[in-house]
Structure formats: C-alpha cells, structure tokens
C-alpha cells in the first residue's frame, strides 16, 4: 500500500520519508523538492512561489495530476508521497500528518538551512514558516475547498516536537500495519 505524508513546515516529514524509504524499501515522490527547484529556477523564495501559485494554478494542476496518475498506475508499488496535498489526490493510501511546535520547527530549519530559504534568526525562521503556512493554507482552501490542517483528513496524526525521527517511523509503521489489517477499526490515530 502507498503512503502519503504531509505536515507542518519543519516537522521532519521529509526525514521520516527518507527513513521509511531506507528501512522498508519505499520510493519517495516529493512535490516539495519539485517546488523548491521551480522557485530556484525562477530566482524566488518558496514563499514567493506560493504567492505566485495563487494566481497561476498550472504547477499545482501538474503536481496534482501526477500524484493521481502515479497512485493509480503504481497501485501495488511501495511509493511514499512527500507532499502537502497528495492525501487529497492519491487513491487508496495511508495518510500521515506530522505536526510540530512552530519554534521547534524554526530551530530545525535553522540547524539545516536550505539556500532557497535564508533566515537571519530562529525568530525570523518562525515568522517565515508561519507566513508560508498561512499562504499555503489559503491557497488550498481556495483551490480545493479542503482544510489542510483538519486532522480528520488523515489516518495518523503525530506530533514530532519531542520525538526523534526514528521514534516517529516506529509509530508510523505500527499504525500502518494495523491499518492494513483492519482499515475501518484503525482509520484514525493521534499521537500528540
């Protein structure tokens, strides 16, 4: 079964994806990596790209249709979608949302800086991440009519603030296996 993982910026979801890929043989499809590359090509920040994408849906439409196509064409494959909205477009998948305290997220981003997301301080990073999240949320509500932060949209919600990526992977895998055995009884779990 395929997996989607999404969550707050700086929650560690991409790290969790990599660990799942290594430990369980999953292939990662990352829409964030594609968006960062597009922002870099355009010479703008990811926040500026989010703002631009509100007026031009072409990149979103391309990403969304690719997620839907891959989830159908590769239904039996071990594929994990590292994507804000894959949970909404992929079919028959286990949906994970990773949340985190905003200041912890900012500290993580500062500890692992990306050239396309330059911040001067932890406070600056916190403000930037919050603003970027607001822009994304507004775009998703406007475009899709769905609340990205509604935990009921996901099978597993986990807070990464005080957990290591390895601990998160263990919780994810336990919940995933339970879901595969009985999707109805294990449709939603929260570790907050």
């Amino acid at each position: 079964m395929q997996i989607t993982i999404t969550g707050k910026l700086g929650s560690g979801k991409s790290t969790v994806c990599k660990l799942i890929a290594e430990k369980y043989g999953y292939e990662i499809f990352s829409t964030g990596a594609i968006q960062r590359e597009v922002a870099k090509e355009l010479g703008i920040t990811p926040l500026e790209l989010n703002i631009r994408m509100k007026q031009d849906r072409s990149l979103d439409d391309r990403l969304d249709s690719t997620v839907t196509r891959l989830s159908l064409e590769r239904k039996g494959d071990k594929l994990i979608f590292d994507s804000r909205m894959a949970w909404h477009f992929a079919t028959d998948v286990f949906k994970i949302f990773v949340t985190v305290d905003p200041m912890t997220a900012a500290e993580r981003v500062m500890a692992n800086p990306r050239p396309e997301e330059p911040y001067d301080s932890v406070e600056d990073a916190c403000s930037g991440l919050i603003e970027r999240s607001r822009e994304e949320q507004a775009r998703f509500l406007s475009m899709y009519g769905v609340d990205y932060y509604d935990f009921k949209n996901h099978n597993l919600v986990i807070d990464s603030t005080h957990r290591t990526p390895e601990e998160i992977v263990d919780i994810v895998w336990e919940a995933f296996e339970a879901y595969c055995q009985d999707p109805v009884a294990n449709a939603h779990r929260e570790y907050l």
Side-chain angles (χ1 to χ4, degrees), residues 8 13 20 23 46-47 52 67 84-86 106 162 167 191:
K8 292 188 176 182
K13 63 183 178 39
I20 290 171
K23 191 169 183 177
L47 175 58
R52 189 177 289 187
V67 167
R84 297 267 181 266
M85 292 300 296
H162 302 291
E167 290 170 328
Y191 294 84

Side-chain angles (χ1 to χ4, degrees), residues 10 100-110 121-127 129-130 161:
V100 67
D101 171 78
M103 192 56 75
T104 300
E107 290 168 356
R108 290 175 181 171
V109 168
M110 288 300 291
S121 66
V122 172
E123 293 76 16
D124 181 40
C126 188
S127 296
L129 294 173
I130 290 170
T161 304

Side-chain angles (χ1 to χ4, degrees), residues 3-20:
I3 298 170
T4 63
I5 187 165
T6 190
K8 292 188 176 182
L9 300 167
S11 64
K13 63 183 178 39
S14 295
T15 300
V16 170
C17 274
K18 289 175 189 166
L19 292 174
I20 290 171

Side-chain angles (χ1 to χ4, degrees), residues 152-189:
K152 290 180 274 182
N153 292 322
H154 309 282
N155 303 114
L156 174 65
V157 178
I158 187 165
D159 188 331
S160 70
T161 304
H162 302 291
R163 291 183 172 99
T164 67
E166 292 79 13
E167 290 170 328
I168 294 167
V169 169
D170 290 343
I171 292 168
V172 163
W173 206 254
E174 178 186 319
F176 175 66
E177 287 182 324
Y179 178 83
C180 288
Q181 290 177 3
D182 189 346
V184 176
N186 297 292
H188 185 79
R189 291 183 178 191

Side-chain angles (χ1 to χ4, degrees), residues 54-109:
K54 281 173 66 173
Q55 286 91 33
D56 179 5
R57 284 188 62 153
S58 62
L59 180 58
D60 281 301
D61 291 341
R62 188 171 64 185
L63 291 171
D64 300 340
S65 63
T66 300
V67 167
T68 300
R69 182 180 52 77
L70 286 174
S71 75
L72 293 169
E73 288 177 358
R74 301 189 54 196
K75 190 173 182 77
D77 294 350
K78 290 182 167 185
L79 188 60
I80 186 166
F81 294 93
D82 180 0
S83 166
R84 297 267 181 266
M85 292 300 296
W87 62 270
H88 186 63
F89 292 99
T91 59
D92 193 28
V93 293
F94 183 69
K95 304 170 186 180
I96 303 165
F97 188 95
V98 185
T99 188
V100 67
D101 171 78
M103 192 56 75
T104 300
E107 290 168 356
R108 290 175 181 171
V109 168

